[in-house]
Amino acid sequence: MSANELTPLDNALQHILDRAPVMSRTETVAVPDSLGRILAESLSVPADVPPADNSAVDGYAVCFGDISPGTPLSVSSRIPAGVAPAPLEPGTAARIFTGSEIPRGADAVVMQERVEYTDNMILIQSDVAPGQNIRRQGQDLARGDLALAEGARIRPQEMGLLASMGISQVLVTARLKVAVLTTGDELVDPGHPLGPGQIYNTNRFTLQGLLAQAGCELVYCETVRDTREATRQALATAAEKADLIITSGGVSVGEEDHVRAVLKASGGLSLWRLAIKPGKPLAFGAMNDTPVLGLPGNPAAVLVTFLVVAMPYIRKRQGRQDILPVGESLPAGFETGAASVRREFVRARKQGSPERPEVVAFPNQSSGVLSSACWADGLAVIPEHTTLRHGDIITFYPFTELLS
């Protein structure tokens, strides 16, 4: 197969992303149920956070002008958190706690460790500056500012931020409904004995886990027999239920590879064969207007192509801001032979000290060796037409980023 028959990965991604409309369906969920969801609207700050000046420490609220070195101050009041304080009496200090509102008349807080307390009097034993240990009103968020932008993915810290603004429910993009079709007469579900020529259906479970981490809803999952009619019927059924169909197998050039043939016959095949390794026989198209992403059949190739191609598509459909991963630049701890016309994604891991990290590759990069991905913690990229020497700088994508 010549190089001009393969679509470069960047071109393929652009083609696929241009055909990835953002989901129009939305739903409202409670903040405790919002983890991993994608905001469907931008949120402005409804009120200052914090709502008033408050103490950053346990200590004593004072007025800087009342402080005279060596002269004690009487403690005139006590301000626990959650209580509106009375104004500070001139020439005195107020006992205050972390998070308590600063009383009118005070302009500094002295840590309790910096005072000597005797008979309801304090002697300050350190320098004091106006504003010290005070968290100002609106320091975190000011009213009217943008708090979170549409397309933001809600993590635990966003959940906390929403709660800090008093928001109990948020509008999020509905989960993308995905159908998974695994193809092959040889496939058997785990828990059943294998007959001659049979293998366990690895890809079904890999894809289920990947889709769950991607925040999708699995609405249809079937193993499809190796016939043209069974493939056509399965794709048609999936198209009625899902926003996206993902298949594994059936997209190469063999006589039993029916997914590509059905899409081509229906006029829905728009992309086939990528300059990527593993994953060359990847197809993209539609069945009755429902997008179809046809992944290869080999287990490691399924994982790689899902992470590299399907995840950006899913993120775009979800309305996310971070569609493509960024990765990090690290020295290679391995070498390659002849350059390839395909961009290679090597199952690899980062090792070494924080000062001298490097990326090492699993020794067997066969597309059928899924154990390599269990050993690895990410994918290292070898660009097209490139040979790699030890120490060369390459891009490494951690699985945590690829799956986020």
Side-chain angles (χ1 to χ4, degrees), residues 185-199:
D185 291 337
E186 75 280 11
L187 299 179
V188 175
D189 283 342
H192 297 82
L194 291 177
Q198 292 183 323
I199 59 173

Side-chain angles (χ1 to χ4, degrees), residues 86-174:
L88 180 67
E89 294 182 16
T92 70
R95 179 70 166 118
I96 198 167
F97 301 89
T98 302
S100 297
E101 185 175 333
I102 302 297
R104 183 161 53 86
D107 58 9
V109 175
V110 183
M111 293 178 64
Q112 61 187 22
E113 293 87 351
R114 301 290 187 265
V115 306
E116 179 182 323
Y117 178 85
T118 306
D119 296 331
N120 208 42
M121 304 285 288
I122 61 167
L123 183 63
I124 299 173
Q125 299 178 319
S126 65
D127 292 336
V128 178
Q132 77 176 34
N133 296 321
I134 293 178
R135 294 187 291 223
R136 294 299 183 186
Q137 177 178 342
Q139 172 182 298
D140 190 1
L141 298 168
R143 181 179 180 179
D145 285 353
L146 176 66
L148 293 171
E150 179 182 352
R153 181 172 179 266
I154 300 175
R155 301 167 295 175
Q157 51 266 51
E158 279 79 21
M159 293 173 67
L161 190 68
L162 291 166
S164 77
M165 297 187 293
I167 295 174
S168 62
Q169 294 184 318
V170 287
L171 187 71
V172 297
T173 304

Side-chain angles (χ1 to χ4, degrees), residues 14 44 74 79 83 96-97 100 185 211-212 248 260 283 288 294 298 330 351 363-365 374 376 380 383 392:
Q14 189 63 58
S44 297
S74 64
I79 309 171
V83 173
I96 198 167
F97 301 89
S100 297
D185 291 337
L211 290 167
S248 69
R260 179 189 63 84
N288 298 338
N298 284 316
L330 295 169
Q351 67 178 28
N364 187 343
Q365 290 293 320
C374 299
D392 287 348

Side-chain angles (χ1 to χ4, degrees), residues 118-316:
T118 306
D119 296 331
N120 208 42
M121 304 285 288
I122 61 167
L123 183 63
I124 299 173
Q125 299 178 319
S126 65
D127 292 336
V128 178
Q132 77 176 34
N133 296 321
I134 293 178
R135 294 187 291 223
R136 294 299 183 186
Q137 177 178 342
Q139 172 182 298
D140 190 1
L141 298 168
R143 181 179 180 179
D145 285 353
L146 176 66
L148 293 171
E150 179 182 352
R153 181 172 179 266
I154 300 175
R155 301 167 295 175
Q157 51 266 51
E158 279 79 21
M159 293 173 67
L161 190 68
L162 291 166
S164 77
M165 297 187 293
I167 295 174
S168 62
Q169 294 184 318
V170 287
L171 187 71
V172 297
T173 304
R175 293 190 188 277
L176 192 70
K177 295 181 179 180
V178 182
V180 169
L181 303 178
T182 49
T183 66
D185 291 337
E186 75 280 11
L187 299 179
V188 175
D189 283 342
H192 297 82
L194 291 177
Q198 292 183 323
I199 59 173
Y200 286 119
N201 191 344
T202 303
N203 295 336
R204 176 177 184 172
F205 297 92
T206 300
L207 289 169
Q208 285 180 353
L210 290 167
L211 290 167
Q213 287 208 346
C216 298
E217 179 184 356
L218 184 64
V219 295
Y220 185 66
C221 188
E222 290 292 334
T223 300
V224 184
R225 297 301 98 192
D226 280 328
T227 70
R228 189 69 53 89
E229 182 57 23
T231 303
R232 188 196 64 76
Q233 289 183 0
L235 285 168
T237 300
E240 295 176 354
K241 302 174 180 292
D243 303 307
L244 169 66
I245 303 169
I246 295 181
T247 66
S248 69
V251 291
S252 192
V253 294
E255 295 178 0
E256 301 300 326
D257 291 311
H258 298 295
V259 172
R260 179 189 63 84
V262 170
L263 293 178
K264 185 177 181 180
S266 68
L269 184 66
S270 64
L271 180 70
W272 180 50
R273 291 183 298 196
L274 271 59
I276 182 177
K277 183 180 181 182
K280 179 173 64 176
L282 183 143
F284 179 76
M287 182 67 176
N288 298 338
D289 296 325
T290 298
V292 180
L293 188 58
L295 306 184
N298 284 316
V302 165
L303 176 68
V304 171
T305 51
F306 184 95
L307 296 175
V308 175
V309 179
M311 276 302 296
Y313 176 89
I314 290 170
R315 292 190 187 103
K316 176 79 180 296

Side-chain angles (χ1 to χ4, degrees), residues 345-374:
F345 289 84
V346 176
R347 284 138 276 161
R349 66 164 54 158
K350 183 167 67 172
Q351 67 178 28
S353 65
E355 296 77 19
R356 299 187 64 181
E358 65 174 7
V359 177
V360 295
F362 191 79
N364 187 343
Q365 290 293 320
S366 168
S367 59
V369 180
L370 189 59
S371 60
S372 60
C374 299

Side-chain angles (χ1 to χ4, degrees), residues 350-402:
K350 183 167 67 172
Q351 67 178 28
S353 65
E355 296 77 19
R356 299 187 64 181
E358 65 174 7
V359 177
V360 295
F362 191 79
N364 187 343
Q365 290 293 320
S366 168
S367 59
V369 180
L370 189 59
S371 60
S372 60
C374 299
W375 173 91
D377 56 20
L379 299 176
V381 183
I382 304 175
E384 305 89 327
H385 312 292
T386 301
T387 57
L388 193 65
R389 295 182 179 180
H390 198 288
D392 287 348
I393 301 300
I394 59 174
T395 300
F396 178 73
Y397 296 112
F399 286 142
T400 51
E401 182 183 5
L402 291 167

